[in-house]
Amino acid sequence: MLYHAYEYTHAAVSPLRNAAKMSMRMLRNPFNPFAPTLPARTTAAMLEMFISATKRYSKPEFDIDTVEVDGEPVAVVEEKVVEKPFCNLVRFRREGAERRNDSAVLIVAPMSGHFATLLRGTVRAMLPGHDVYITDWIDARDVPMSDGRFGLDEYIDYVREFCGVLHTATGERPAVMAVCQPGVPVLAAAALMAEDDAPDRPASIILMGSPIDTRRNPQEPNLLATTHPLSWFEKNVIVTVPFPNPGFLRRVYPGFMQLTGFMQMNLDRHVDAHMKQFQHLVVGDGESAEAHTAFYDEYLAVMDMTAEFYLETIETVFQEHSLPRGLMTYRDERLVKPELITDIALMTVEGEKDDITGRGQTAAAHALCPDLPGAKKFHWEQKGVGHYGVFNGSRFRTNIQPKIADFIAENRGSPVKPKAAPKLKLMKTGAAPVAAA
């Protein structure tokens, strides 16, 4: 009934939102002699805030039309390479750049509430030097029940299949970047492919802010997942998609509930941001208001996750810690063995101020691959950034992305010993070289 209540509330508010839009346009009409007055500007700002708070945010676009390659603008064409029920594999083809023979990179976006467009900046930063593909996950409420289930096993299957697509297209083993939540299924897929000696296994994997071992430095999301039994989550956050959505009767963890959790984690920050936005609208600071709107258009656009994927992630990753304990299984019958990875280079990236995936949780992946040569392991901790700064923003572009590009290049094709990145101070931590930012 919770999902139904949400839908009914949204429908009930629609007439008020439409009235607010009309009133706001009238107040801001340049032919309105009262438009420049403080009461009119204040009222219009209040109406705009109401519209923003009550509208439904649809999936944003990537909007990457051009990218600079070798100092020249190059057109970018977004292509769906593979269409599957729960995910499209999207390639950002750079017109005329095929002659460069850049390495193919599969970016595995998180299925954790937001759409893959949250990684727009990540894609844009990687495009100048790579042939970029991304997993564009589909809102579970739009997937009919006839398309079956989607859990961790299916996630692993998708990763393996997409690696095969890139291998077929390029003839090379691909590089795979897992941003946040996908770290566990990507590492599991790599382990299974290594055990199978699959020719399309990754040449390198980069795990970024990923919860590989949540026993290390647990943060608020980790603690929440361990303070309740799995049955509590199934009873309190899993609902059924209502009619007339295509996914009618599918059990999901709805996006609006995920968004509530996101907002509550940093409620003071969001309240302060919206108060400043109101002030920007009143005084007419268009640049600041547009920046706020652009951020929240992305942040407030959320998608539903299938119940099985959400519950299996809670149990496997956060409660049982199955992967670091050597207990994770694929299809309930095959043990996942990261220790069999011997020629898939492993890079991990963490943020010093990450309050979602604590420091050390991602780096834990290195200890799970004891037979992978130390020369093919690299860990980077970026100073001064939180969770989102690990894969987006100025420090990602200037500090993190160049390290990733070097790592991919050094481990392209046949296994080679990577060279130390220039101007890095390296220090040994266990089996993996660790770079200090």
Side-chain angles (χ1 to χ4, degrees):
M1 292 301 296
L2 183 61
Y3 211 138
H4 291 79
Y6 170 77
E7 295 283 356
Y8 291 149
T9 301
H10 178 78
V13 173
S14 293
L16 297 177
R17 186 167 53 254
N18 291 331
K21 289 179 182 178
M22 294 178 59
S23 300
M24 182 182 69
R25 294 190 186 111
M26 292 175 59
L27 288 169
R28 289 179 174 168
N29 192 309
F31 295 104
N32 182 352
F34 299 102
T37 65
L38 180 61
R41 297 201 311 269
T42 302
T43 304
M46 293 173 62
L47 291 171
E48 183 167 340
M49 296 296 289
F50 171 77
I51 295 167
S52 298
T54 57
K55 75 176 184 179
R56 173 170 286 163
Y57 290 81
S58 58
K59 177 189 174 184
E61 299 294 331
F62 280 102
D63 280 334
I64 302 177
D65 299 320
T66 60
V67 65
E68 191 171 288
V69 178
D70 292 334
E72 297 293 333
V74 173
V76 176
V77 179
E78 188 178 322
E79 299 178 331
K80 290 182 182 178
V81 179
V82 179
E83 296 186 38
K84 298 186 71 65
F86 293 91
C87 183
N88 295 321
L89 179 61
V90 173
R91 181 193 181 195
F92 298 88
R93 180 169 56 82
R94 301 163 301 167
E95 294 279 13
E98 288 81 359
R99 64 184 183 276
R100 288 170 50 92
N101 193 32
D102 290 328
S103 57
V105 178
L106 171 62
I107 299 178
V108 184
M111 183 188 278
S112 54
H114 289 107
F115 291 95
T117 51
L118 190 68
L119 303 188
R120 183 184 299 104
T122 316
V123 173
R124 189 181 293 277
M126 295 296 294
L127 270 174
H130 301 88
D131 185 10
V132 179
Y133 297 72
I134 195 169
T135 56
D136 191 13
W137 300 107
I138 296 172
D139 194 332
R141 74 175 187 168
D142 294 330
V143 183
M145 285 287 290
S146 58
D147 286 324
R149 76 186 306 275
F150 187 88
L152 272 175
D153 290 333
E154 288 73 25
Y155 201 124
I156 292 171
D157 289 340
Y158 275 33
V159 171
R160 295 192 63 170
E161 179 178 344
F162 294 159
C163 284
V165 171
L166 269 67
H167 178 261
T168 300
T170 65
E172 294 184 356
R173 293 164 54 193
V176 180
M177 290 174 58
V179 180
C180 188
Q181 163 269 319
V184 169
V186 164
L187 186 57
L192 293 169
M193 297 173 83
E195 184 177 8
D196 295 340
D197 196 25
D200 55 357
R201 65 190 182 279
S204 60
I205 56 176
I206 300 94
L207 309 181
M208 310 173 68
S210 299
I212 301 300
D213 189 349
T214 58
R215 296 172 298 181
R216 299 189 180 191
N217 191 20
Q219 300 299 303
E220 186 175 342
N222 311 147
L223 298 174
L224 175 63
T226 57
T227 53
H228 300 289
L230 194 65
S231 58
W232 183 91
F233 290 97
E234 186 167 10
K235 179 180 179 181
N236 289 278
V237 303
I238 300 301
V239 298
T240 301
V241 175
F243 183 82
N245 294 291
F248 175 53
L249 295 182
R250 183 177 292 280
R251 297 174 69 241
V252 298
Y253 177 30
F256 65 86
M257 291 189 67
Q258 299 170 60
L259 181 60
T260 300
F262 297 152
M263 300 289 281
Q264 287 179 342
M265 286 182 61
N266 296 286
L267 185 59
D268 292 344
R269 187 184 305 171
H270 291 297
V271 171
D272 182 62
H274 281 76
M275 290 298 295
K276 289 180 179 178
Q277 170 71 345
F278 176 73
Q279 295 167 5
H280 295 323
L281 292 171
V282 172
V283 302
D285 185 353
E287 186 174 345
S288 298
E290 288 176 6
H292 173 97
T293 300
F295 173 80
Y296 277 99
D297 280 352
E298 188 78 53
Y299 189 80
L300 298 178
V302 289
M303 57 183 285
D304 296 355
M305 286 190 284
T306 63
E308 53 270 23
F309 174 76
Y310 174 73
L311 294 173
E312 288 171 11
T313 299
I314 290 291
E315 182 178 32
T316 301
V317 178
F318 296 100
Q319 294 186 345
E320 299 295 331
H321 317 288
S322 299
L323 183 61
R325 293 175 59 209
L327 302 176
M328 184 175 179
T329 59
Y330 169 72
R331 300 292 176 185
D332 292 327
E333 57 185 27
R334 185 176 176 184
L335 198 63
V336 175
K337 302 175 182 178
E339 64 271 19
L340 297 181
I341 295 176
T342 59
D343 67 351
I344 301 175
L346 172 63
M347 178 179 181
T348 53
V349 183
E350 295 180 345
E352 178 190 23
K353 298 181 179 180
D354 195 331
D355 59 353
I356 294 179
T357 304
R359 294 166 64 187
Q361 292 187 12
T362 310
H366 292 288
L368 303 183
C369 306
D371 290 336
L372 181 64
K376 297 193 71 67
K377 296 179 179 180
F378 184 73
H379 176 68
W380 178 261
E381 181 183 297
Q382 180 59 52
K383 303 299 182 184
V385 303
H387 188 69
Y388 292 99
V390 168
F391 57 87
N392 212 340
S394 60
R395 286 192 177 94
F396 170 77
R397 292 190 298 271
T398 58
N399 295 342
I400 300 174
Q401 192 276 333
K403 309 296 184 301
I404 293 175
D406 289 345
F407 186 78
I408 291 173
E410 291 163 354
N411 293 282
R412 185 177 182 179
S414 300
V416 295
K417 182 178 180 181
K419 297 176 291 184
K423 299 181 181 179
L424 295 183
K425 179 182 178 182
L426 296 178
M427 53 188 179
K428 277 284 189 178
T429 299
V434 180

